[in-house]
Amino acid sequence: MDKKPYHVVIVGYGGMGSYHPQLIAPVESLRVTGVFDVIPYRMELAESAGLKPYESLDAVLTDSEVDVVLIATPNDVHKDIAIQALKAGKHVICEKPVTITSADLLDIVEVAKAEDRIFTVHQNRRWDEDFRIVKHLIETKQAGEVFHVESRVQGANGIPGDWRQLKAYGGGMLLDWGVHLLDQLLLLTDSKIDSVTAELSTILGTEVDDGFTTHIRFYDELTAVVEVGTTNYVTLPRWYVKGNEGTAVIRDWDLNGELVRSNPDVARVEPKPIQAGQGLTKTMAPPSEESTLRLPIEKAPAAAQTFYENFAAALEGKSTLIVKNEEVYRVLRLIETIFEAAEKREVLKDLNL
Ligand code: NAD
C-alpha cells in the first residue's frame, strides 16, 4: 500500500475504543477518521472528538476510504466483525482476547490469508515497562539462570459490572487479564509448556471466574505462577523472579522493587542464627550483608517500535508484525488448557504446548 495516511475506523467506541486514538496519534502514517458503535451516545462522543460517525458496520465496510478496521467491542462479536471486515478488503486490528476459542481465531486467520489482508491483535502489555524489565533481567542473567517466575495482578474491586461478568460475552478474568499475563510469560522462554495446574476463583458468585491461579512448568525447567485476583485488599508483588544467583521483585506499576544477589567479589559468609518466633533458625536468616548486593531495578532498553509503529511499518511492507497470530493462538490454547485443568482438578502434563 502506498496511500498515506491510512484511514482507521474504530468499531466499538467504549472505554478502550476511545483510548486508541491517543495511541495512534503519534504515528504519522495512520489516522483515525471514524467510528461505529451501537450506542448513539458513544457516536455523539466520537463526533465531538472530530470523528466521522458511521450509521452501520456495513457503512464502514463499503467506504473505500477506510483501510483499517479496529475492533474494540465486547469479545463475543470480535470474530464476526473481523471476518466481515477482512472480506470487505480491510486490514484488521482486534482487541484482546481476539476470540473466545482458539478454533475461532483459526477461522479468522484463514480468511485473512485468503484475502491477503493484515490481521493482528492488540496484545499491548508486551510493551509494559515492568514486563520488559523482567525480560531484560532474564536475558542479561542479572539474577543468574532464572528458574522461577511469579506474575500477578490483584485488585479489590471485583469484575467491572458489565459484559465482563457474562459468559456469553467472553467475560471473566482469565480471558481478560489472563491474556496479557500469559502472553508475557510465553515470551520469557523459548521452551514449550510441559504441564499446567489451575484453580479458578468464583468468590463473587458471578457465572465467570473473578480470578485464577495457574502453575506452569516448561520443558526447560522454568516454573511459573500466574495469578489474577479481584478480591485482594492487600496485594502481592507484581513480579517475583528467582535465579540461581539472586532474587528480583517488582512490587507495583511504579516499578518499585530491587534485585538482591550474591556478591561475586566476596566469598559467601555464613549467616548468623536469628530468633524466629519460638525458635532459632539459620536456614531462614537473611543472607549476610557482606556477601550480598542489593541493587535497584535496572531499566530495560527502549522498545524499537510501538504497537502502532510496527503495524504501520507492516502495512508498508517494511516490518513483520510483532504480535504474531501463532503467538496469539498459543495464548488461547493455554487459556483453554487452564480452564480444563481447573475443571478436572488435575495436572495436565506432556502438553508440548
Ligand atoms: P466497553 O463496554 O467499554 O466498550 C465496548 C463498546 O462496544 C461499547 O461502546 C458498545 O456499545 C460497543 N459495541 C458493542 N457491540 C457492538 C457492535 N456489535 N458493533 C459496534 N459497537 C459495539 O468495553 P471495553 O472495556 O472498551 O472493551 C472492549 C474490548 O477491548 C474488549 O475486547 C476488551 O477485552 C478490550 N480491552 C483491551 C484492553 C487492553 O489493554 N488491550 C483494555 C481494556 C479493554
Side-chain angles (χ1 to χ4, degrees):
M1 283 173 78
D2 51 9
K3 176 199 151 193
K4 275 201 214 160
Y6 305 117
H7 289 191
V8 181
V9 167
I10 301 173
V11 175
Y13 194 68
M16 197 59 191
S18 58
Y19 178 63
H20 276 274
Q22 74 190 68
L23 302 175
I24 295 173
V27 184
E28 266 179 30
S29 55
L30 299 175
R31 183 181 298 157
V32 180
T33 53
V35 159
F36 168 61
D37 195 294
V38 287
I39 298 178
Y41 165 68
R42 288 275 159 202
M43 300 280 272
E44 283 164 26
L45 283 181
E47 211 172 351
S48 60
L51 302 173
K52 174 178 172 178
Y54 285 84
E55 64 189 16
S56 64
L57 178 62
D58 209 40
V60 177
L61 301 187
T62 52
D63 183 348
S64 60
E65 288 295 308
V66 178
D67 304 298
V68 180
V69 169
L70 164 57
I71 304 171
T73 61
N75 309 332
D76 59 315
V77 287
H78 287 178
K79 176 182 178 180
D80 185 44
I81 297 171
I83 288 182
Q84 284 191 58
L86 291 164
K87 285 188 170 165
K90 312 300 182 194
H91 300 283
V92 174
I93 299 166
C94 187
E95 260 306 341
K96 51 53 62 179
V98 58
T99 45
I100 299 174
T101 70
S102 58
D104 282 346
L105 171 59
L106 294 183
D107 291 344
I108 298 177
V109 170
E110 199 177 299
V111 177
K113 276 193 190 134
E115 301 292 337
D116 194 20
R117 298 289 86 179
I118 291 180
F119 177 78
T120 191
V121 182
H122 190 235
Q123 292 189 180
N124 51 321
R125 290 194 175 276
R126 293 179 178 202
W127 280 264
D128 281 7
E129 197 171 0
D130 57 281
F131 163 67
R132 291 193 301 103
I133 285 172
V134 169
K135 190 163 165 38
H136 177 65
L137 179 135
I138 293 175
E139 285 167 357
T140 52
K141 301 192 191 299
Q142 293 170 48
E145 294 295 336
V146 167
F147 58 87
H148 183 72
V149 172
E150 299 189 14
S151 166
R152 293 185 173 82
V153 290
Q154 298 175 323
N157 304 317
I159 311 175
D162 53 13
W163 57 267
R164 280 182 172 78
Q165 298 193 0
L166 303 172
K167 203 172 181 146
Y169 289 78
M173 283 297 121
L174 180 50
L175 276 167
D176 191 346
W177 271 95
V179 172
H180 291 305
L181 268 51
L182 297 168
D183 186 40
Q184 292 176 341
L185 176 69
L186 295 183
L187 294 168
L188 294 181
T189 169
D190 294 331
S191 179
K192 288 191 165 190
I193 294 170
D194 177 1
S195 69
V196 169
T197 59
E199 283 158 26
L200 301 184
S201 161
T202 49
I203 307 290
L204 299 174
T206 49
E207 61 181 37
V208 295
D209 66 284
D210 55 55
F212 68 91
T213 305
T214 183
H215 293 249
I216 296 173
R217 173 179 284 276
F218 293 84
Y219 287 107
D220 66 359
E221 303 293 320
L222 177 72
T223 55
V225 176
V226 177
E227 191 165 15
V228 173
T230 54
T231 55
N232 304 66
Y233 286 84
V234 176
T235 59
L236 290 166
R238 172 72 188 84
W239 292 95
Y240 179 72
V241 180
K242 289 207 296 180
N244 62 356
E245 290 169 8
T247 304
V249 65
I250 299 179
R251 296 200 169 83
D252 50 35
W253 304 112
D254 294 331
L255 310 177
N256 292 303
E258 61 188 336
L259 166 65
V260 181
R261 54 158 299 146
S262 57
N263 185 342
D265 302 327
V266 177
R268 187 172 178 276
V269 179
E270 278 294 305
K272 296 186 180 62
I274 55 162
Q275 178 84 37
Q278 293 299 304
L280 283 182
T281 178
K282 196 162 84 168
T283 317
M284 297 306 162
S288 73
E289 292 283 330
E290 305 94 298
S291 54
T292 47
L293 295 171
R294 201 168 276 273
L295 304 166
I297 290 296
E298 192 177 297
K299 296 265 176 193
Q305 290 173 317
T306 65
F307 175 87
Y308 278 111
E309 283 167 352
N310 172 249
F311 177 76
L315 272 183
E316 294 172 67
K318 293 181 186 160
S319 277
T320 53
L321 288 171
I322 292 176
V323 181
K324 297 183 176 28
N325 290 324
E326 307 82 74
E327 296 164 346
V328 174
Y329 178 75
R330 188 171 173 226
V331 171
L332 279 181
R333 288 284 301 112
L334 176 54
I335 285 176
E336 289 167 339
T337 307
I338 291 170
F339 275 126
E340 187 187 340
E343 185 169 328
K344 291 184 173 162
R345 300 183 184 198
E346 281 176 8
V347 182
L348 302 184
K349 50 189 176 203
D350 303 323
L351 292 167
N352 200 28
L353 175 64

